[in-house]
Amino acid sequence: MPSLKDLKNRIASVKATQKITKAMKMVAAAKLRRAQSAAEAARPYSAKMADVLSGLAKSMEGREDAPVLLAGNGKDQVHLLIVATAERGLCGGFNSSIARMAREHARKLLNQGKEVKIYTVGKKGYDALKNEFGSKIVERIDFRSVRNIGYGEADVVGKRIIEMFHEGSFDVATLFYSEFKSVISQIPTAMQLIPASFPASNAGNDGSDAVAYEYEPSEEAILGDLLPRNISVQVFRALLENAASEQGARMSAMDNATRNAGEMIDKLTLSYNRQRQAQITKELIEIISGAEAL
């Protein structure tokens, strides 16, 4: 049984930890507002670009001169997994859920006889995958020195992905990140970047296009400019979604940690008071017994 001094030190230690977790929760709440606003502001732009590219892609279906970023190189052997996670921990299961999704996808591909390469964006993704897939990680990048993620950082990643594709390093590229829904809900998401994959258009309820467009310049010229930019835009959106999801997960995790610390303090205080009372009672019994012996 721990002594009164040990219990007192433990209570002081847990109280100090509780102060830290409470402060981290407040900081995460302040950062969450900015990160959530940035993520929500980026969604309409990325969705509209995907919608425009989806319409252009339909006009290029079956054509031999379709851009390689849209149609792919005709192979499906080498897969590049871009795993975007946070730079720091203490955010619940945010990082592990993204890494788990990428890990399961990699295992599935390997079981099918495919070759897997991994490009990690963020320190925690590399840490989570290096033990099992260390030999598969071909590149890694982190933004620990960047205070606020901007389009410039996403463009660096996007251009490197395109460069690797033109070098013949992979055939299919898939991006893994976490989509922000709420403070308690962040959804791990996989998005295929190359060949470009777009959601079904909602233009017509009957499955046909509601409006026919004529493009100037040609579809090939527009796609040649927008497809590389779309990769950077989707990476940028993923980084913004991750930033909001990270702060939401950290806020929730620190709230739980603060609550758990409070419960532990109550239990330790109860044990301390009981042991102290027992010690006082024992001392009183010894005094009374000594007095009666005189």
Side-chain angles (χ1 to χ4, degrees), residues 101-162:
M101 187 179 195
R103 190 182 297 112
E104 291 173 355
H105 189 71
R107 290 170 181 165
K108 180 180 178 181
L109 291 172
L110 291 172
N111 290 335
Q112 294 173 356
K114 310 291 185 181
E115 182 181 349
V116 172
K117 297 182 179 180
I118 298 176
Y119 181 4
T120 61
V121 182
K123 180 178 181 296
K124 290 301 177 180
Y126 174 78
D127 292 342
L129 297 172
K130 65 181 180 181
N131 290 335
E132 184 176 355
F133 298 103
S135 61
K136 308 292 184 185
I137 300 176
V138 294
E139 287 202 29
R140 54 179 293 201
I141 187 172
D142 62 65
F143 299 113
R144 280 177 289 181
S145 60
V146 180
R147 185 173 182 180
N148 294 315
I149 294 292
Y151 180 76
E153 288 74 29
D155 196 37
V156 170
V157 176
K159 287 180 178 177
R160 181 54 187 152
I161 294 171
I162 296 172

Side-chain angles (χ1 to χ4, degrees), residues 1-292:
M1 181 179 292
S3 64
L4 288 176
K5 184 178 180 180
D6 291 337
L7 286 172
K8 191 173 183 179
N9 290 338
R10 183 75 186 279
I11 291 171
S13 175
V14 176
K15 283 183 177 179
T17 302
Q18 186 184 41
K19 289 180 181 179
I20 294 172
T21 57
K22 188 174 182 179
M24 291 184 67
K25 173 191 170 184
M26 295 174 66
V27 171
K31 290 183 177 180
L32 174 62
R33 286 191 288 270
R34 295 193 299 268
Q36 183 177 354
S37 298
E40 290 175 348
R43 287 173 184 172
Y45 181 79
S46 63
K48 190 61 179 178
M49 174 170 279
D51 201 26
V52 171
L53 287 172
S54 178
L56 286 167
K58 288 181 179 179
S59 66
M60 301 295 292
E61 284 182 357
R63 291 175 52 173
E64 295 183 356
D65 59 343
V68 67
L69 290 178
L70 177 64
N73 57 10
K75 301 177 183 178
D76 186 32
Q77 180 60 30
V78 184
H79 287 250
L80 178 69
L81 312 185
I82 304 107
V83 185
T85 57
E87 304 293 343
R88 299 171 181 84
L90 295 177
C91 48
F94 165 70
N95 292 308
S96 60
S97 61
I98 300 173
R100 187 186 308 112
M101 187 179 195
R103 190 182 297 112
E104 291 173 355
H105 189 71
R107 290 170 181 165
K108 180 180 178 181
L109 291 172
L110 291 172
N111 290 335
Q112 294 173 356
K114 310 291 185 181
E115 182 181 349
V116 172
K117 297 182 179 180
I118 298 176
Y119 181 4
T120 61
V121 182
K123 180 178 181 296
K124 290 301 177 180
Y126 174 78
D127 292 342
L129 297 172
K130 65 181 180 181
N131 290 335
E132 184 176 355
F133 298 103
S135 61
K136 308 292 184 185
I137 300 176
V138 294
E139 287 202 29
R140 54 179 293 201
I141 187 172
D142 62 65
F143 299 113
R144 280 177 289 181
S145 60
V146 180
R147 185 173 182 180
N148 294 315
I149 294 292
Y151 180 76
E153 288 74 29
D155 196 37
V156 170
V157 176
K159 287 180 178 177
R160 181 54 187 152
I161 294 171
I162 296 172
E163 182 181 349
M164 293 173 67
F165 180 68
H166 289 317
E167 290 172 353
S169 299
F170 64 88
D171 304 319
V172 179
T174 306
L175 174 63
F176 294 86
Y177 65 99
S178 184
E179 184 175 357
F180 177 80
K181 291 296 183 182
S182 67
V183 173
I184 59 174
S185 177
Q186 302 87 34
I187 302 176
T189 304
M191 175 191 297
Q192 183 174 302
L193 296 179
I194 301 175
S197 177
F198 305 107
S201 176
N202 296 324
N205 295 327
D206 58 352
S208 60
D209 291 334
V211 181
Y213 293 98
E214 292 184 0
Y215 297 98
E216 179 66 30
S218 64
E219 290 95 332
E220 295 88 340
I222 297 174
L223 285 171
D225 180 63
L226 287 187
L227 282 172
R229 187 178 303 178
N230 178 64
I231 293 176
S232 295
V233 168
Q234 299 305 330
V235 171
F236 182 43
R237 181 194 169 185
L239 294 179
L240 292 179
E241 294 283 350
N242 267 3
S245 297
E246 177 190 356
Q247 298 305 330
R250 179 171 290 116
M251 181 180 172
S252 179
M254 291 301 103
D255 181 56
N256 291 333
T258 302
R259 192 181 303 110
N260 292 338
E263 293 175 358
M264 183 176 291
I265 290 170
D266 293 339
K267 291 179 181 179
L268 290 171
T269 302
L270 183 60
S271 297
Y272 175 83
N273 290 337
R274 284 177 175 174
Q275 189 168 335
R276 182 170 175 270
Q277 185 64 41
Q279 186 172 334
I280 292 172
T281 303
K282 182 180 178 182
E283 291 175 355
L284 287 174
I285 292 173
E286 290 175 352
I287 293 172
I288 293 171
S289 300
E292 289 178 350

